[in-house]
Amino acid sequence: MKIKGNFMREKFSYDKYLDFIEKDELEANKYKNQFIPDRLYKYQPIGSGQMRAKRIQTIKKEQIWASRVKYLNDPFEFKMLYADQKNNNVREFYEDVLNRNEIICLSSKWNDKLMWAHYAESHTGMCIEYAFLHGGKGQVTPVTYVANRQCFDDELKVWLKNKNLALEQMLKQNEINGVQRRQLHSCGKIMYTKDSVWKYEKEYRIVYPLDENSKGMNVPIHRLGMRTSRIVAGINCSEDNKKKLNEISNSLGLGNVYTSRIHPEQYTIDYVR
């Protein structure tokens, strides 16, 4: 696939991705991966007591939290694309997708003021930077933001009509054709579409198979093709918590943590070490 010089000024289009999927899955991944930065970030609180100990251990073990959809903070998760819930097959499809997947949410920015406020406990928490190992971008998909809910009836009913044959072929390790690939991946669109009010998050997602009977699970990041590359402490992070983070950062071979601060002149956040 030939990449034009102004390619990165384009926005990722899931529909264009589906066009590539229908023709060639390898080219589709090349198209998608061009929009994924080399590093992604996870904002999180540190907390105290037992919760702090758990979060510290998670970072030390190089794991990341995958959450069940119903425990995310947006009730419209997986619902920005809607379909006829009176149809039993459609309703069962939505329930299956909701109950069978966990989500890992990442951002392309480490210094977003709202993200620090909302997800890192008013800047008292941390932001973990992850770098990709070779081929690691394959599991990541950019989130598409839309201003209004959109009807997904036609695409979903086409897949539901044809899915048994496609799944049977896949179980027999037979190739599915381009149209079947498109139908399969078009259903994934519901997992990567959010209301535009969230676009400040600049979110990228990994959908991970559910560990049943849990609210979520810690996933080793090497399984996702990533490694921890930096730890940034919030502006209001306590000295005690910075000390704990330094211990972990050094144990991972990253040196001391970076500490975010208010930029001396600009309305932005930078960091010092």
Side-chain angles (χ1 to χ4, degrees), residues 9-273:
R9 287 195 286 271
E10 293 182 29
K11 288 184 179 179
F12 171 75
S13 164
Y14 203 95
D15 290 330
K16 190 171 182 179
Y17 172 62
L18 292 176
D19 290 340
F20 278 113
I21 281 283
E22 187 169 346
K23 296 172 186 175
D24 186 314
E25 197 163 7
L26 183 61
E27 292 300 303
N29 282 326
K30 286 181 182 178
Y31 167 74
K32 173 182 68 71
N33 292 349
Q34 290 291 324
F35 294 92
I36 299 170
D38 291 333
R39 285 171 167 74
L40 291 174
Y41 301 90
K42 181 74 174 178
Y43 296 83
Q44 50 191 307
I46 297 174
S48 59
Q50 193 174 30
M51 184 56 68
R52 181 178 81 161
K54 286 182 179 179
R55 288 201 173 103
I56 294 294
Q57 279 302 307
T58 297
I59 303 167
K60 190 172 184 178
K61 292 178 180 178
E62 292 205 88
Q63 298 174 337
I64 191 169
W65 180 253
S67 178
R68 292 190 70 171
V69 176
K70 66 181 180 180
Y71 296 110
L72 297 176
N73 61 355
D74 180 8
F76 286 92
E77 286 290 359
F78 288 22
K79 296 172 185 172
M80 287 307 290
L81 303 181
Y82 67 88
D84 180 12
Q85 296 291 321
K86 294 177 183 177
N87 182 301
N88 288 337
N89 290 333
V90 169
R91 188 171 61 254
E92 287 172 7
F93 169 82
Y94 272 86
E95 289 173 357
D96 180 54
V97 170
L98 283 168
N99 293 326
R100 193 162 45 87
N101 294 292
E102 295 174 319
I103 303 295
I104 296 166
C105 305
L106 301 162
S107 175
S108 63
K109 294 181 66 179
W110 74 269
N111 60 348
D112 187 276
K113 295 180 286 295
L114 286 177
M115 296 286 278
W116 275 107
H118 294 167
Y119 295 105
E121 213 166 36
S122 300
H123 298 260
T124 63
M126 57 190 164
C127 182
I128 312 299
E129 178 188 88
Y130 300 102
F132 287 105
L133 305 173
H134 179 70
K137 292 183 180 181
Q139 298 187 62
V140 182
T141 301
V143 166
T144 298
Y145 298 99
V146 295
N148 299 291
R149 295 182 77 189
Q150 300 173 3
C151 183
F152 194 54
D153 250 2
D154 292 342
E155 296 97 320
L156 183 52
K157 286 176 180 176
V158 167
W159 166 246
L160 292 175
K161 179 181 177 181
N162 298 304
K163 73 171 185 176
N164 288 339
L165 176 60
L167 294 176
E168 184 180 335
Q169 288 177 242
M170 291 167 69
L171 285 172
K172 292 179 179 178
Q173 297 185 325
N174 293 334
E175 278 287 325
I176 58 175
N177 62 43
V179 173
Q180 290 171 315
R181 279 200 308 271
R182 185 187 183 101
Q183 292 168 359
L184 173 63
H185 285 274
S186 69
C187 292
K189 190 175 181 180
I190 69 169
M191 298 183 282
Y192 305 107
T193 304
K194 291 196 69 172
D195 187 343
S196 58
V197 298
W198 299 95
K199 64 183 179 182
Y200 74 92
E201 294 186 345
K202 299 186 182 339
E203 186 179 344
Y204 295 77
R205 287 190 161 177
I206 299 171
V207 176
Y208 199 79
L210 177 67
D211 179 14
E212 293 185 16
N213 302 318
S214 74
K215 291 185 177 181
M217 62 183 292
N218 286 317
V219 180
I221 60 175
H222 69 84
R223 288 188 195 170
L224 308 172
M226 300 190 300
R227 63 175 179 85
T228 306
S229 52
R230 184 176 302 175
I231 300 173
V232 183
I235 291 171
N236 297 323
C237 185
S238 70
E239 291 302 318
D240 185 44
N241 282 339
K242 282 183 200 174
K243 182 180 177 181
K244 289 286 184 184
L245 293 178
N246 270 328
E247 290 173 6
I248 295 171
S249 186
N250 280 287
S251 73
L252 295 174
L254 304 176
N256 286 342
V257 298
Y258 294 75
T259 301
S260 57
R261 65 173 186 174
I262 296 173
H263 191 279
E265 300 172 353
Q266 301 171 13
Y267 184 57
T268 187
I269 294 171
D270 65 1
Y271 53 62
V272 293
R273 199 176 195 182

